[in-house]
Amino acid sequence: MSDVAALFFNAEIMAKTAGFLLDGLWMTVLLCLVVIPVGALGGLAVAVLAALKRRWLNIALVVYVDVFRALPPLVLLVFVYNVPPFAGYKISEFEAVVIAFLLNTSSYYGEIFRAGIESVGRGQWEAARSTGLGWWQTMGWVVLPQAVRNVLPDLVSNTLEVAKLTSIASVIALHELMFAARSAQQATFNYSPLILATVIYFVLLWPVVRLLSRLEHRKIAAR
């Protein structure tokens, strides 16, 4: 047991590598602050455009959503990072992550927002239009607030998954939390930095998990 503790729960190594992991943590936080709003806004744009009910546009949106929901995020990230140099453009690791996450997460957010928009009764549209509001005004002031409220648990759940998914950025050597932990583990020949990173992820994401649970229970109780 002492060997296991020294290999996985070495407090001295955790203390020595904590600063290095915190540097990676700030990058993880920055990634979340960028990719989550970008993905959500992209998904909102997809859902609103789908609500226009234009046949050619809907076909394009279905293809977009299906393609980027079908592609594994890791494969998409590697593709986005490695292909542009062949076209003469050097893309940074951070840019690659943002673009790959935009393509992937906007397709998921788009389906969630679309379900929310479709959950708003047609009577709400007709009542708003009867007061003189245009289509875009009705969408922005009447439909979207109700749509977001109806799918809030799904939005929080997807956001939680996106936050966890940022760990794949380590495969292209972006210095986020998981990359820092793996680098520290390789430098020390000890798994304690990975355990410390796991604890950090848990501490950061557990409150979101509890929030999601409360929202889901509230939604069930409201039925």
Side-chain angles (χ1 to χ4, degrees):
M1 288 297 294
S2 61
D3 291 340
V4 172
L7 186 60
F8 290 93
F9 304 99
N10 191 309
E12 182 180 354
I13 290 179
M14 287 184 180
K16 288 182 179 179
T17 59
F20 189 63
L21 265 63
L22 285 177
D23 290 339
L25 173 61
W26 299 133
M27 177 57 72
T28 294
V29 171
L30 178 60
L31 274 178
C32 290
L33 291 176
V34 173
V35 301
I36 290 174
V38 166
L41 289 174
L44 181 60
V46 169
V48 170
L49 290 175
L52 290 172
K53 304 297 184 182
R54 302 289 190 269
R55 179 176 173 79
W56 63 270
L57 183 58
N58 281 1
I59 293 174
L61 292 174
V62 167
V63 172
Y64 174 87
V65 170
D66 285 356
V67 167
F68 291 112
R69 289 180 73 188
L71 287 175
L74 180 58
V75 174
L76 182 59
L77 175 58
V78 171
F79 181 85
V80 169
Y81 181 64
N82 288 285
V83 170
F86 289 98
Y89 177 70
K90 178 66 172 68
I91 190 170
S92 71
E93 292 84 359
F94 192 87
E95 289 174 320
V97 174
V98 171
I99 293 172
F101 271 65
L102 168 63
L103 296 174
N104 176 260
T105 62
S106 63
S107 61
Y108 285 94
Y109 276 118
E111 287 298 281
I112 295 172
F113 281 121
R114 182 185 61 79
I117 291 172
E118 292 180 353
S119 72
V120 178
R122 194 64 197 172
Q124 296 287 327
W125 285 87
E126 295 170 353
R129 297 301 295 273
S130 68
T131 64
L133 295 179
W135 191 93
W136 289 101
Q137 292 172 312
T138 300
M139 174 62 77
W141 295 350
V142 178
V143 175
L144 278 182
Q146 298 181 69
V148 171
R149 184 172 64 249
N150 291 343
V151 295
L152 188 57
D154 299 308
L155 289 173
V156 174
S157 177
N158 194 65
T159 299
L160 177 62
E161 292 303 315
V162 174
K164 291 189 290 185
L165 202 59
T166 57
S167 61
I168 70 171
S170 62
V171 302
I172 59 171
L174 181 65
H175 186 78
E176 47 75 61
L177 180 56
M178 183 51 63
F179 179 81
R182 290 174 59 192
S183 298
Q185 179 262 319
Q186 292 169 0
T188 60
F189 302 99
N190 192 284
Y191 291 96
S192 298
L194 292 175
I195 299 299
L196 180 57
T198 301
V199 172
I200 293 173
Y201 275 119
F202 176 80
V203 170
L204 289 178
L205 297 179
W206 181 74
V208 183
V209 172
R210 295 308 310 155
L211 172 63
L212 176 60
S213 180
R214 289 173 63 91
L215 290 173
E216 289 173 339
H217 290 154
R218 187 177 301 174
K219 185 176 181 179
I220 292 173
R223 290 177 179 173

